Amino acid sequence: NGASCVGTRRIDKISRIILSIYKNLRMKRGHLNMKKRWIPILSGVLALSVALAGCGNSGDASEAASTGGSASASATSTNSDGKLDKVVIQDKWLPQAQFMGYYVADKKGFYKDEGIEVEIVPGSSDFTAEDQVINGTANFGHTWYSSLLTYQESGNDLINIAQLYQKSALELVAKKDSGITSGKDLKGKKVGNWFGGNEYEIYALLGKYGYDKDKDVNLVQQDFTMDAFNNGEIDAASAMTYNELGLVVGDDESKVKDYNIIDMNDEGVAMMEDCLCVSKKWAEENKDLVVRFLRASLKGWQYACAHTDEAAQIVWDAGQSVSLEHQKWMAKKVAETVCPSGMDPKDIGKMDDTALQQTIDLGVKYGLLKSKVDLSTSVDKSYWTEATSSMGDSETAGSAAASSEAASTAA
């Protein structure tokens, strides 16, 4: 290929981005009110990128996207020629410890041990992980289970194969002098949330105490900083344990006690969040690959939860979306959610029917869903069961430290 293909990998990445935008515009251009004249322009740019990327080595990690095919096209390749199977996982957001298991699995060689080359694609506000799996840009998607349910309700061929977060990480944080210690104290208060699908646990919390969300409280749009809360403009602000709470306390665990925290799990209104989704049809056609990918990913999560500072460094090296210190805060808090105190690290990713069904029930009751999604078709535990059944004790080295480290952090 020589000099004519200098920068092929960069061109290939550009083609993937263009392909993603193009496919999502085709799916959602009516919603976005996108002018049709942009579609042929994007098509032309895509074609040029494909032509340029075509000079690249066929072993490039982005081959499927650069040739205009779906991600599944490369993922279904065999190892008969000694090459690694290539897969793409679409994260929900930018590189951060929320997704540390995949970055650690890649860095530690767990995917290569399973004969897999993985591309971890950061998320964006322009599309969802579900979108990318549906349109074939990604094989796997990391998303919230509550979000996945809305796609399943619409008839999309997606399933949850691993529930990575075992409890809700959403909290409401209030200042000590606010008089707010539980959901019961929210009447007449100004409560912040980001909305966009993040509001339904707040609705459930208000409903638990018989409050009308439109009359009894003042729900306000909250941005992704905590400035409005810190300035006293919001009485109770939404905060993820692994992100916004750290911003409030300056990533200092000792300062958490200076605030009142309303935990959705303690209030009994938790809805399940981060999970791993895949196309049901594609998974059935590529069962061995799905099991291998899941097994490597779970090893990554086990290691990450046992070594949070190292995991934070690995994620930070992959993309400096936040400071290293905040990544360390995030990693410790994520570990508490993925592998709560008392949980065997070997059970990371396990699906709790009660918690998942509660998510469905609350989703229907408070407007996330129009009708109940059948849990038995929403999840498929067989991939997790097969992946974990072939993992020996030696493959979860350091796993015992995961629960102890998480417990010490929570103490």
Side-chain angles (χ1 to χ4, degrees), residues 182-245:
S182 77
K184 185 177 181 180
D185 303 317
L186 294 175
K187 187 173 183 178
K189 301 295 184 179
K190 186 177 289 186
V191 180
N193 188 261
W194 314 285
F195 296 97
N198 299 291
E199 67 271 26
Y200 294 98
E201 284 175 278
I202 305 301
Y203 292 172
L205 176 65
L206 297 174
K208 172 185 176 180
Y209 293 99
Y211 296 150
D212 185 316
K213 64 181 179 63
D214 298 316
K215 298 178 181 179
D216 294 324
V217 298
N218 183 10
L219 286 173
V220 298
Q221 180 77 44
Q222 178 180 325
D223 64 21
F224 289 97
T225 72
M226 296 300 282
D227 293 345
F229 172 73
N230 291 331
N231 295 335
E233 299 169 24
I234 296 176
D235 298 312
S238 294
M240 304 306 291
T241 59
Y242 53 80
N243 197 356
E244 289 80 14
L245 181 60

Side-chain angles (χ1 to χ4, degrees), residues 178-377:
S178 67
I180 300 173
T181 59
S182 77
K184 185 177 181 180
D185 303 317
L186 294 175
K187 187 173 183 178
K189 301 295 184 179
K190 186 177 289 186
V191 180
N193 188 261
W194 314 285
F195 296 97
N198 299 291
E199 67 271 26
Y200 294 98
E201 284 175 278
I202 305 301
Y203 292 172
L205 176 65
L206 297 174
K208 172 185 176 180
Y209 293 99
Y211 296 150
D212 185 316
K213 64 181 179 63
D214 298 316
K215 298 178 181 179
D216 294 324
V217 298
N218 183 10
L219 286 173
V220 298
Q221 180 77 44
Q222 178 180 325
D223 64 21
F224 289 97
T225 72
M226 296 300 282
D227 293 345
F229 172 73
N230 291 331
N231 295 335
E233 299 169 24
I234 296 176
D235 298 312
S238 294
M240 304 306 291
T241 59
Y242 53 80
N243 197 356
E244 289 80 14
L245 181 60
L247 299 179
V248 171
V249 300
D251 298 330
D252 184 346
E253 186 71 36
S254 67
K255 294 182 179 179
V256 174
K257 66 180 185 301
D258 297 333
Y259 296 87
N260 293 333
I261 304 295
I262 300 177
D263 187 309
M264 300 301 141
N265 303 284
D266 295 341
E267 288 280 3
V269 295
M271 298 175 74
M272 291 296 95
E273 295 161 358
D274 298 56
C275 67
L276 188 64
C277 74
V278 68
S279 160
K280 180 179 180 180
K281 181 176 184 293
W282 181 83
E284 291 172 347
E285 295 172 349
N286 298 274
K287 182 177 180 180
D288 176 68
L289 179 56
V290 172
V291 170
R292 285 188 284 129
F293 175 83
L294 184 53
R295 183 164 51 233
S297 298
L298 292 174
K299 291 177 187 176
W301 280 105
Q302 290 169 351
Y303 188 94
C305 289
H307 308 87
T308 56
D309 282 355
E310 182 182 354
Q313 182 69 58
I314 290 172
V315 175
W316 190 81
D317 289 341
Q320 290 80 43
S321 61
V322 298
S323 70
L324 178 57
E325 285 307 308
H326 192 52
Q327 288 285 18
K328 290 180 178 180
W329 167 278
M330 294 182 77
K332 290 176 182 178
K333 290 300 180 179
V334 166
E336 294 173 14
T337 306
V338 172
C339 189
S341 179
M343 176 179 169
D344 189 334
K346 295 178 184 178
D347 287 336
I348 288 176
K350 189 174 183 178
M351 300 187 205
D352 182 336
D353 285 351
T354 300
L356 295 171
Q357 187 62 55
Q358 175 170 295
T359 303
I360 296 173
D361 294 342
L362 290 176
V364 173
K365 186 174 183 179
Y366 294 103
L368 174 68
L369 305 170
K370 294 179 180 178
S371 59
K372 285 191 178 183
V373 173
D374 187 345
L375 180 60
S376 66
T377 59

Side-chain angles (χ1 to χ4, degrees), residues 41-241:
I41 293 174
L42 282 171
S43 299
V45 177
L46 173 63
L48 176 60
S49 297
V50 168
L52 290 171
C55 68
N57 187 298
S58 61
D60 191 278
S62 301
E63 179 183 356
S66 67
T67 56
S70 68
S72 60
S74 71
T76 55
S77 63
T78 66
N79 284 323
S80 61
D81 57 1
K83 293 182 179 179
L84 299 175
D85 289 323
K86 300 170 189 173
V87 301
V88 177
I89 177 170
Q90 176 66 62
D91 281 344
K92 182 177 172 65
W93 193 235
L94 302 176
Q96 57 187 37
Q98 181 180 357
F99 319 108
M100 63 184 182
Y102 313 117
Y103 289 99
V104 169
D106 189 28
K107 180 69 173 181
K108 293 295 180 181
F110 298 155
Y111 289 122
K112 286 187 177 179
D113 290 344
E114 294 286 355
I116 296 172
E117 179 179 341
V118 66
E119 180 178 1
I120 305 171
V121 181
S124 167
S125 59
D126 295 330
F127 54 79
T128 68
E130 293 96 331
D131 289 336
Q132 303 301 74
V133 174
I134 292 169
N135 69 31
T137 302
N139 305 107
F140 300 91
H142 183 113
T143 186
W144 279 17
Y145 182 56
S146 55
S147 173
L148 177 61
L149 286 170
T150 65
Y151 281 83
Q152 293 176 328
E153 183 185 38
S154 299
N156 289 288
D157 178 40
L158 298 174
I159 52 172
N160 178 358
I161 61 171
Q163 185 59 46
L164 295 164
Y165 284 32
Q166 296 296 307
K167 60 181 183 178
S168 171
L170 179 65
E171 298 177 334
L172 283 178
V173 57
K175 295 177 180 177
K176 283 290 186 181
D177 60 3
S178 67
I180 300 173
T181 59
S182 77
K184 185 177 181 180
D185 303 317
L186 294 175
K187 187 173 183 178
K189 301 295 184 179
K190 186 177 289 186
V191 180
N193 188 261
W194 314 285
F195 296 97
N198 299 291
E199 67 271 26
Y200 294 98
E201 284 175 278
I202 305 301
Y203 292 172
L205 176 65
L206 297 174
K208 172 185 176 180
Y209 293 99
Y211 296 150
D212 185 316
K213 64 181 179 63
D214 298 316
K215 298 178 181 179
D216 294 324
V217 298
N218 183 10
L219 286 173
V220 298
Q221 180 77 44
Q222 178 180 325
D223 64 21
F224 289 97
T225 72
M226 296 300 282
D227 293 345
F229 172 73
N230 291 331
N231 295 335
E233 299 169 24
I234 296 176
D235 298 312
S238 294
M240 304 306 291
T241 59

